[in-house]
C-alpha cells in the first residue's frame, strides 16, 4: 500500500531548500525520509555519498536512465540529476513522508507520474538576496554561480504559473519560513505520528 503523500520542494539554487529540509528531518526523525537523488556533479565539502546524493559518472547515470531505473531526470547547470524509483521506494517502504528536492524540470515530469505529491515552491525575497546567499555558501565557481542565477530567473517565472505549486513559501527570515513549512505539513506529520504510535 502507498505510504503518506510525498512532498516536493523546488526553488532556485541557493534559496535554502536543503537548509529547510535538513531542519525538518532533524526535528521530525522517523517522520520524513529524503529521496536521495543521483547526480553527476562532484560532492561539495561536507556532502556524503549515499546521504546527500548518490554521486555517479555520466555513463553510469545514463545507463540507469536507459534501463528505466528513474522516475525523472534532468540536466541542470551542466550535470545530470535524477530521482530513482528505488530512492522513493526506500522511503515509502518505511511509511515515511518522502521529501524530494528537485528542479523545475523535475516538477514538470513528476506531474506526469502517479506519485501525486504536494508541490511546495521556496522563493527568495529578491534576486539580490539569492545571489548573496549563493556567494556566501562559497560552493560555486563564478561560472557555475552565473549559470545558476540565469536558471533561477527562469525558475522564478515558472513558479508564477497558476496551478503549478500548492504552496509558496518565501524564505526571507529562516525561522519564519521554517514555521510556515511546518504549518503546511502539519496534517501529514500528525497522520504519520499517529500511525507509528
Ligand atoms: N530534476 C531533478 N532535480 C534535482 C534532483 N536532485 C536535485 N535536483 C535539483 O538540482 C539543482 C541543483 O542541485 P545542487 O547541485 O545540489 O545545488 P543547490 O540547489 O545549489 O544546492 C537544484 O535545483 C535541485 O533541486 C533530481 O533528482 N531531479
Ligand atoms: N533564510 C535565510 N537567511 C539567510 N541565509 C540563508 C537562509 N536560508 C538559507 N540560507 C543560507 O543560504 C545558502 C544557500 O542555502 P541552501 O540550503 O544550500 O540552498 P539550496 O539547497 O536551495 O541550494 C546557505 O549558505 C544557507 O546557510
Amino acid at each position: 500500500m502507498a505510504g503518506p503523500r510525498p512532498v516536493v520542494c523546488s526553488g532556485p539554487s541557493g534559496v535554502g531548500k536543503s537548509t529547510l529540509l535538513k531542519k525538518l528531518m532533524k526535528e521530525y526523525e522517523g517522520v520524513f525520509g529524503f529521496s536521495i537523488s543521483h547526480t553527476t556533479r562532484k560532492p561539495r565539502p561536507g556532502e556524503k555519498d549515499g546521504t546527500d546524493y548518490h554521486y555517479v559518472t555520466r555513463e553510469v547515470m545514463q545507463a540507469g536512465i536507459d534501463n528505466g531505473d528513474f522516475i525523472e531526470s534532468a540536466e541542470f547547470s551542466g550535470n545530470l540529476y535524477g530521482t530513482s524509483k528505488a530512492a522513493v521506494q526506500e522511503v515509502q517502504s518505511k511509511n515515511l513522508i518522502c521529501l524530494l528536492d528537485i528542479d523545475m524540470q523535475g516538477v514538470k515530469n513528476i506531474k506526469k507520474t502517479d506519485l501525486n505529491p504536494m508541490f511546495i515552491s521556496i522563493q527568495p525575497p529578491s534576486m539580490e538576496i539569492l545571489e548573496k546567499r549563493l556567494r556566501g555558501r562559497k560552493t560555486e565557481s563564478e561560472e557555475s554561480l552565473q549559470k545558476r542565477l540565469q536558471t533561477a530567473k527562469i525558475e522564478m517565472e515558472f513558479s508564477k504559473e497558476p496551478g503549478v505549486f500548492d504552496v509558496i513559501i518565501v524564505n526571507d527570515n529562516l525561522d519564519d519560513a521554517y514555521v510556515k513549512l511546518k504549518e503546511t505539513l502539519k496534517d501529514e506529520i500528525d497522520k504519520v505520528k499517529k500511525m507509528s504510535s
Side-chain angles (χ1 to χ4, degrees):
M1 206 188 83
R5 193 175 180 201
V7 173
V8 163
C9 266
S10 193
S13 170
V15 74
K17 301 178 297 297
S18 305
T19 305
L20 285 164
L21 294 183
K22 281 187 177 154
K23 253 172 109 70
L24 199 62
M25 285 185 283
K26 199 171 166 199
E27 181 172 347
Y28 296 98
E29 240 196 287
V31 174
F32 293 99
F34 187 56
S35 159
I36 304 165
S37 293
H38 282 61
T39 183
T40 62
R41 89 151 158 75
K42 297 278 168 286
R44 297 174 185 146
E47 287 184 339
K48 279 202 201 97
D49 189 24
T51 302
D52 297 285
Y53 283 103
H54 299 289
Y55 300 94
V56 289
T57 61
R58 190 169 277 267
E59 290 70 32
V60 166
M61 180 114 187
Q62 194 57 55
I65 294 168
D66 295 343
N67 198 38
D69 298 344
F70 285 84
I71 298 174
E72 61 80 31
S73 62
E75 180 106 23
F76 182 96
S77 205
N79 283 297
L80 278 175
Y81 294 80
T83 308
S84 71
K85 292 174 182 168
V88 172
Q89 267 161 17
E90 162 100 27
V91 177
Q92 291 198 318
S93 68
K94 297 181 200 149
N95 275 316
L96 303 177
I97 300 172
C98 183
L99 293 174
L100 294 94
D101 175 344
I102 57 173
D103 82 327
M104 183 181 81
Q105 303 164 77
V107 168
K108 284 183 189 162
N109 287 326
I110 289 281
K111 281 182 184 282
K112 296 178 200 154
T113 71
D114 59 5
L115 195 71
N116 187 33
M118 180 189 282
F119 289 95
I120 301 177
S121 166
I122 312 290
Q123 302 205 347
S126 68
M127 285 302 289
E128 289 71 26
I129 289 177
L130 183 70
E131 179 167 351
K132 216 172 137 199
R133 282 187 195 162
L134 253 185
R135 285 191 186 281
R137 198 173 67 186
K138 295 189 164 61
T139 55
E140 308 308 312
S141 65
E142 186 61 28
E143 190 194 350
S144 164
L145 196 130
Q146 292 302 337
K147 261 194 198 167
R148 280 160 194 268
L149 290 175
Q150 277 306 315
T151 307
K153 285 183 197 148
I154 304 167
E155 297 222 350
M156 295 298 290
E157 284 307 309
F158 169 68
S159 67
K160 288 183 199 148
E161 282 179 26
V164 175
F165 290 100
D166 300 301
V167 181
I168 291 177
I169 297 176
V170 178
N171 182 19
D172 189 351
N173 175 283
L174 181 62
D175 291 336
D176 293 346
Y178 183 56
V179 166
K180 178 120 192 258
L181 181 62
K182 285 200 287 188
E183 278 171 2
T184 302
L185 301 174
K186 187 179 182 306
D187 288 352
E188 284 300 312
I189 293 171
D190 288 347
K191 267 190 228 165
V192 172
K193 279 188 171 171
K194 215 180 261 173
M195 278 199 307
S196 59
S197 65

